[in-house]
Amino acid sequence: VIVARTRDELERAKRDLRGLGRLALVPTMGALHPGHDSLITLAREEAGAVAASIFVNPLQFGPTEDFTRYPRDESGDLTRLEALGAHLAFLPSTEEVYPGGAPRVTVHPGAMGERLCGAFRPGHFAGVLTVVAKLFGMFRPELSVFGQKDHQQAVLIRRMVEDLELGPITVRVAPTVREQDGLAMSSRNAYLSAEERRQAVGLHQSLQAARQGYVRGERAGARLLGLARVRLGEFPLLQLQYLELVHPETLQSVERAESGSVLAIAALCGRTRLIDNVVLP
Ligand code: AMP
């Protein structure tokens, strides 16, 4: 894997990879785990050259959030990317991405960025979309891959590409990769104490309770959310932020569940904020 840390190194690496064909970009914040692996693998299947960016983007963290203590594992990440057959790793410094400080012009996510996670993390999606727009500008990829684990993020990126005519760029979304017990993999799971880790599975279990209700034929959103809430009650360490049944593309709350509707949840597990979602079959 070619390692680039500056724009110049990135340009050189892109030139070296030109013969491989379509370029795919997988943006990440590092501390890579099997969830990230599946994005890289999907990119490898669909493009000739695969680049991963590893950048903990200060713009998407609130003032009281975990930017400084966010897990970082550069050498582990590079080993992983090498093993997966990624061609290029871009690990820029904050100054490289934001020369002269925070950008004066940023991407405004609109009302969809204020729902769900956006309601609890003001400015978060503006930070995400701004850095992804910059990465798209730097890489000019034909394909970019995101994870279903962050459903709202993937939807907003799709909308940004379409609404701001950033294409031609295909946005693909890879399924959520989970631990044995169902907990969605996340770099933030490393923060959890043993007891928190045991209860963290409550997010998945709540969603599963609602999903099972749906599979049994229940369609009333309030009833499905009730099933999830009852299950959540079995996990006293989980402090619910939101639990919603939404339309997969508009993220608007829906009253009746149908195939493709998304159940989304966010909760604090101790001090660690966890999210998960399930798409109804
Ligand atoms: P992050 O490094 O956490 O910002 O995530 C980078 C990309 O990996 C995002 O598109 C995430 O949605 C995706 N991702 C993170 N965790 C998972 C997971 N458990 N399964 C699938 N994709 C994931």
Side-chain angles (χ1 to χ4, degrees), residues 82-101:
E82 178 78 48
L84 292 165
H87 302 88
L88 168 57
F90 183 47
L91 298 92
S93 66
T94 304
E95 295 67 41
E96 193 65 35
V97 175
Y98 301 119

Side-chain angles (χ1 to χ4, degrees), residues 141-161:
E142 289 183 61
L143 172 73
S144 192
V145 185
F146 296 85
Q148 177 61 32
K149 154 98 192 314
D150 300 275
H151 177 80
Q152 186 174 16
Q153 169 174 282
V155 167
L156 283 166
I157 284 161
R158 276 225 168 91
R159 278 255 62 90
M160 173 174 77
V161 168

Side-chain angles (χ1 to χ4, degrees), residues 26-36 38-39 60 70 145-151 153 174-178 184-188:
V26 180
T28 81
M29 298 206 297
L32 300 181
H33 53 66
H36 298 111
S38 82
L39 275 51
Q60 71 191 66
Y70 193 84
V145 185
F146 296 85
Q148 177 61 32
K149 154 98 192 314
D150 300 275
H151 177 80
Q153 169 174 282
T176 303
V177 177
R178 299 178 180 281
M185 289 194 180
S186 163
S187 307
R188 288 192 168 98

